[in-house]
Amino acid sequence: NAGVTQTPKFRILKIGQSMTLQCTQDMNHNYMYWYRQDPGMGLKLIYYSVGAGITDKGEVPNGYNVSRTTTEDFPLRLELAAPSQTSVYFCASSRYLIGDTIYFGEGSWLTVV
Amino acid sequence: DQQVKQNSPSLSVQEGRISILNCDYTNSMFDYFLWYKKYPAEGPTFLISISSIKDKNEDGRFTVFLNKSAKHLSLHIVPSQPGDSAVYFCAASEANNAGNMLTFGGGTRLMVKP
């Protein structure tokens, strides 16, 4: 049962570097999301996608980009990493537009130094 | 401005007793509420939800209560078990929307002592 798979689990970046967080799901879900969670804070939506070829900004999109070329994959790109992007990143997917059906990945811990 | 707040960052309870986790919200347009549970090094998992047309929803040991006039909801776990030790997130949305419309609280860490 793979579900939602994120890579890498841990990464240390230097300020100004770029990287891509990979996310793939094997449940044929239309909807995919990227969240970040800062210490003591709730999850905040970065970007989401309602299907292949369609993406939209969430609450905190600045400094990130996404693409959705296939149903399965939803990579998150960090351009010019900044210390403020130190966070835990969660990818998620859902079959329907209802919150009860969201499946989250295990998270990716990113530190920018 | 946090629209969903969990004012207790942590809670410690004895095994077998009741755990009560609280959540307050400010946006009167919220009408669907969810609780997620998160273990260390794992993603959150959906636990239980409630629509604003109800004031209570029960699923086994878990019950969620909603007080719309007070803009307050709570999650009751009875009896608490050591395996319930996790971080619990409250989330809210306008209608039962998916992740693109959820507003999360900061979480409460529950520790159930054997």
Side-chain angles (χ1 to χ4, degrees):
Chain A
N1 293 349
V4 179
T5 304
Q6 298 178 229
T7 57
K9 274 188 106 57
F10 302 95
R11 181 74 186 267
I12 298 175
L13 273 183
K14 292 185 178 178
I15 294 172
Q17 284 186 319
S18 300
M19 75 159 297
T20 300
L21 295 173
Q22 301 291 345
C23 176
T24 188
Q25 52 93 6
D26 62 359
M27 297 173 282
N28 201 32
H29 286 170
N30 286 327
Y31 308 101
M32 295 190 75
Y33 320 88
W34 274 105
Y35 280 91
R36 60 177 285 174
Q37 185 198 359
D38 299 327
M41 304 293 288
L43 284 73
K44 291 188 185 295
L45 185 67
I46 306 170
Y47 270 96
Y48 68 98
S49 169
V50 300
I54 307 169
T55 63
D56 208 346
K57 295 177 181 179
E59 185 181 356
V60 289
N62 291 344
Y64 307 94
N65 277 301
V66 293
S67 60
R68 183 99 181 268
T69 56
T70 66
T71 299
E72 296 79 19
D73 300 307
F74 191 41
L76 177 72
R77 178 113 181 124
L78 282 73
E79 305 282 1
L80 299 174
S84 61
Q85 293 178 302
T86 295
S87 191
V88 182
Y89 292 83
F90 291 98
C91 180
S93 72
S94 64
R95 182 178 301 281
Y96 305 112
L97 270 175
I98 51 176
D100 310 30
T101 68
I102 295 176
Y103 292 85
F104 286 88
E106 294 183 342
S108 298
W109 275 254
L110 176 66
T111 302
V112 182
V113 295
Chain B
D1 177 32
Q2 279 191 286
Q3 296 186 68
V4 178
K5 288 186 181 178
Q6 295 175 253
N7 290 318
S8 298
S10 64
L11 174 68
S12 183
V13 170
Q14 203 69 34
E15 180 179 6
R17 306 293 292 269
I18 184 171
S19 295
I20 300 176
L21 294 90
N22 294 304
C23 179
D24 296 295
Y25 63 96
T26 57
N27 187 343
S28 58
M29 298 300 291
F30 288 147
D31 57 7
Y32 201 83
F33 305 90
L34 307 92
W35 285 94
Y36 291 84
K37 177 179 179 180
K38 184 186 177 304
Y39 291 117
E42 294 184 10
T45 55
F46 169 73
L47 185 60
I48 192 169
S49 61
I50 188 167
S51 164
S52 60
I53 62 172
K54 295 185 175 182
D55 55 17
K56 176 183 173 182
N57 188 28
E58 195 171 350
D59 184 1
R61 296 185 297 113
F62 302 90
T63 302
V64 55
F65 294 91
L66 175 63
N67 183 332
K68 283 184 66 180
S69 61
K71 295 191 178 68
H72 177 83
L73 65 155
S74 60
L75 175 67
H76 293 210
I77 307 173
V78 183
S80 301
Q81 299 174 353
D84 296 329
S85 297
V87 176
Y88 290 79
F89 290 99
C90 168
S93 69
E94 298 177 33
N96 188 3
N97 289 302
N100 57 317
M101 296 296 286
L102 290 174
T103 301
F104 285 84
T108 296
R109 181 177 303 278
L110 173 66
M111 292 163 283
V112 180
K113 296 179 287 187

